[in-house]
């Protein structure tokens, strides 16, 4: 299951610096099947210490982490929803991602011009959010125009139901409320999913600060956090410049550089973990002497569905899943000892996968 996030932001907020750092980090994932998909997409590994431990236990020929794709989306300007600047390109690309990562400038630097001439993170966020809302509103209004007569005049039951959902979305957008914050029912969300609406996508704000400001919140970060709290969104602090420097270092040197400024984890790693949580994603593993690999799945998926993430044949011919937990393996040290302790189990197709499960799928096609 591929995880995709779109990096958005106004010009000169540090978006390109961050993306360049991400692209360079692909070098660190040389054993991953792919590194760069296309010029505007970068792939980084999802940090997971459990994978290192499994590699230590199995000594596999190769270790493959699960990956995270970042799409560098064209810079946004006012009027993007009506095609200003690269607006149409921006909006079409952002519809393809799972989550929006909005880079917000929270630093002062007289050498870097701000497109709006001064630093105001809340204003910058609202410029983008308004454009996303207007783009969604255009889609909603267009659909309403097509079915309104059928719903109101012909009293078509299906059209009436659709019309009510669209009206609910329209009213929210006109009030400036992102659709992800509207209390839609499960069926309503399923219906709206087909429109790939921008404000339905979860969002994380990246406060781009100077390297020395990472250990504390400056006034601009505090403003952004207050705004995000009202949206029930998360803010991650990051120094795009420092991420670029980190991308050239080995893991040990990275940790040393972060420790030198009082930071335990890079902003990029924090972002990946936060997005994982936001999207309700978890990880299971397959492990053996040939390969140790991490697989991303959606929380609530069953064993049969998770088998299909590896290959469709695994799902079609699913028989059983032989499972042990990561923690049990660490506790007992080897697969054999886990089995001797009675901690290995066979699960059927309806078993709900748990984060950290180590699986061997039995199937027959």
């Amino acid at each position: 299951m591929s995880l995709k996030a779109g990096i958005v932001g106004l010009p000169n907020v540090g978006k390109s610096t961050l993306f360049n750092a991400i692209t360079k980090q692909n070098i660190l994932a040389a054993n991953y099947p792919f590194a760069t998909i296309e010029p505007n997409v970068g792939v980084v590994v999802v940090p997971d210490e459990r994978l290192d431990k499994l590699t230590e236990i199995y000594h596999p020929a190769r270790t493959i982490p699960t990956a995270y794709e970042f799409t560098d989306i064209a810079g946004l300007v006012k009027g993007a929803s009506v095609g200003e600047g690269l607006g149409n390109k921006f909006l079409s690309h952002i519809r393809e991602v799972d989550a929006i990562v909005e880079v917000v400038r929270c630093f002062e630097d007289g050498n870097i011009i701000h497109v709006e001439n001064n630093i105001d993170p809340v204003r910058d966020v609202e410029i983008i959010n308004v454009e996303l809302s207007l783009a969604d509103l255009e889609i909603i209004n267009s659909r309403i125009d097509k079915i309104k007569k059928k719903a109101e005049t012909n009293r078509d039951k299906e059209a009436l139901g659709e019309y009510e959902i669209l009206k609910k979305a329209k009213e929210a957008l006109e009030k400036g409320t992102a659709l992800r914050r509207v209390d839609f029912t499960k069926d309503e969300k399923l219906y709206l999913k087909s429109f790939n609406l921008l404000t339905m996508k979860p969002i994380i704000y990246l406060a781009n600060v100077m390297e020395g400001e990472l250990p504390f919140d400056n006034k601009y970060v505090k403003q952004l956090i207050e705004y995000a709290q009202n949206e029930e969104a998360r803010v991650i602090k990051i120094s795009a410049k420092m991420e670029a420097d980190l991308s050239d270092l080995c893991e040990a040197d990275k940790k040393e550089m972060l420790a030198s400024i009082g930071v335990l984890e890079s902003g990029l790693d924090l972002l990946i973990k936060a997005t994982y949580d936001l999207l309700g994603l978890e990880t299971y593993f397959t492990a053996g002497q040939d390969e140790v690999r991490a697989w991303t799945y959606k929380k609530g998926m069953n064993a049969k569905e998770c088998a299909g993430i590896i290959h469709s044949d695994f799902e079609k011919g699913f028989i059983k899943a032989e499972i042990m937990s990561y923690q049990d393996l660490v506790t007992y040290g080897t697969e054999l000892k886990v089995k001797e302790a009675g901690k290995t189990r066979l699960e059927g197709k309806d078993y709900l996968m748990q984060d950290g499960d180590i699986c061997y799928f039995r199937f027959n096609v």
Side-chain angles (χ1 to χ4, degrees), residues 95-283:
R95 293 192 194 283
E96 305 303 317
V97 303
D98 301 303
I100 298 171
V101 176
E102 188 168 331
V103 182
V104 185
R105 181 169 167 177
C106 292
F107 66 89
E108 293 182 2
D109 187 336
N111 295 317
I112 303 175
I113 298 170
H114 191 290
V115 69
E116 295 292 327
N117 298 317
N118 67 322
I119 310 302
D120 186 338
V122 172
R123 175 207 57 211
D124 293 354
V125 165
E126 288 183 338
I127 286 173
I128 289 183
N129 289 354
V130 164
E131 294 302 328
L132 299 183
S133 293
L134 289 173
D136 281 353
L137 195 56
E138 183 181 357
I139 289 174
I140 295 293
N141 283 334
S142 176
R143 183 60 185 166
I144 284 176
D145 290 343
K146 289 179 181 177
I147 68 162
K148 187 175 181 180
K149 184 177 180 181
K150 189 176 181 181
E152 293 184 339
T153 306
N154 300 340
R155 309 304 293 175
D156 181 89
K157 187 177 179 180
E158 186 176 328
L160 275 170
E162 186 177 351
Y163 183 49
E164 289 304 315
I165 298 172
L166 292 169
K167 277 206 307 180
K168 185 175 178 179
K170 177 183 169 74
E171 288 167 6
L173 289 168
E174 288 178 338
K175 290 176 184 175
T177 303
L179 296 181
R180 61 180 165 271
R181 296 178 56 209
V182 179
D183 187 23
F184 290 113
T185 66
K186 186 177 180 180
D187 288 341
E188 287 172 340
K189 286 179 181 178
L190 189 61
Y191 167 74
L192 290 171
K193 187 177 180 180
S194 63
F195 294 99
N196 223 356
L197 297 164
L198 303 174
T199 64
M200 287 286 283
K201 297 180 184 297
I203 192 166
I204 289 179
Y205 296 109
L206 268 191
N208 187 18
V209 300
M210 293 294 194
E211 181 180 317
E213 296 177 323
L214 278 170
F216 63 91
D217 295 340
N218 67 26
K219 65 179 181 179
Y220 299 122
V221 173
K222 288 176 181 176
Q223 291 168 13
L224 183 59
I225 289 173
E226 185 178 349
Y227 178 89
Q229 284 174 341
N230 294 328
E231 276 205 339
E232 298 179 354
R234 185 168 175 181
V235 174
I236 304 277
K237 271 188 304 184
I238 197 166
S239 167
K241 183 179 181 302
M242 191 182 78
E243 293 297 331
D245 293 338
L246 288 172
S247 67
D248 289 323
L249 303 178
C250 68
E251 200 61 35
D253 289 344
K254 272 186 188 181
K255 289 179 180 178
E256 185 178 334
M257 182 175 176
L258 290 168
S260 70
I261 60 170
V263 177
L264 297 176
E265 202 167 6
S266 80
L268 183 57
D269 286 353
L270 287 171
L271 170 63
I272 293 169
K273 291 177 181 178
T275 310
Y276 236 58
D277 182 60
L278 185 70
L279 295 173
L281 299 173
E282 294 182 329
T283 303

Side-chain angles (χ1 to χ4, degrees), residues 45-55 63-66 251 265 269 272-273 276 282-285 292-296 326 355-356:
V45 302
V46 174
D48 195 326
E49 292 178 357
R50 296 174 298 182
L51 203 59
D52 298 331
K53 185 65 177 178
L54 290 174
T55 299
T63 298
I64 302 178
T66 188
E251 200 61 35
E265 202 167 6
D269 286 353
I272 293 169
K273 291 177 181 178
Y276 236 58
E282 294 182 329
T283 303
Y284 76 84
F285 303 96
V292 165
R293 185 163 184 165
W295 302 89
T296 299
Y326 167 80
D355 185 56

Side-chain angles (χ1 to χ4, degrees), residues 7-22:
I7 304 175
V8 304
L10 296 175
N12 297 332
V13 297
K15 185 169 65 71
S16 296
T17 303
L18 176 63
F19 184 75
N20 288 339
I22 289 167

